[in-house]
Amino acid sequence: MKLDKVSEELTEMQVCRKSHHPDHIKKDLTNRLNRIEGQIRGIKGMVDRDVYCDDIITQLSATQSALNSVAKVLLQGHLKGCIVERITEGDEEVIDELLVTIQKLMRK
């Protein structure tokens, strides 16, 4: 089965599923995302002020790194929680879902 086809099927299945992150993880993710949001606003301001391109690119790189860190935290929780739980329940299709997820992360 092609990964694109699996991705479409998984999207339809995911409509009713939810994450179950502990409160401290949610707080950490929210804090990280708030900082990233601030970075994006700062970059927008740099563009508006005609700041030197290299300085903007440096900030973009830092923001991308911060986004990657959020993705790592989420992936770790997904593997240790959702994936393990579903495999324990006998749902081996979750492996295809994980492959699609990793493929999406590697496109960056």
Side-chain angles (χ1 to χ4, degrees):
M1 187 177 277
K2 292 187 177 183
L3 285 179
D4 291 335
K5 177 77 171 153
V6 172
S7 180
E8 289 175 23
E9 291 173 3
L10 291 173
T11 302
E12 292 172 11
M13 291 170 34
Q14 293 170 345
V15 173
C16 63
R17 290 195 309 221
K18 291 188 177 188
S19 297
H20 303 287
H21 300 290
D23 287 340
H24 72 280
I25 298 292
K26 284 183 188 179
K27 184 175 181 179
D28 177 53
L29 290 170
T30 299
N31 288 339
R32 289 172 185 256
L33 291 168
N34 286 338
R35 282 194 298 271
I36 291 167
E37 186 177 25
Q39 285 178 294
I40 296 295
R41 282 194 304 271
I43 293 168
K44 182 179 180 293
M46 292 172 78
V47 170
D48 291 342
R49 293 187 315 275
D50 295 321
V51 172
Y52 187 60
C53 297
D54 190 57
D55 295 335
I56 296 171
I57 292 168
T58 299
Q59 290 305 309
L60 287 169
S61 177
T63 303
Q64 184 62 56
S65 179
L67 283 168
N68 289 341
S69 292
V70 169
K72 287 177 191 175
V73 170
L74 283 169
L75 183 59
Q76 181 179 9
H78 187 54
L79 286 168
K80 290 183 175 182
C82 303
I83 299 296
V84 169
E85 180 180 312
R86 288 179 58 194
I87 288 174
T88 303
E89 293 171 353
D91 181 3
E92 293 186 16
E93 289 180 10
V94 71
I95 300 299
D96 290 330
E97 176 187 299
L98 180 59
L99 291 172
V100 170
T101 299
I102 291 171
Q103 183 184 31
K104 288 177 185 176
L105 285 172
M106 294 178 76
R107 286 185 198 156
K108 297 177 183 179

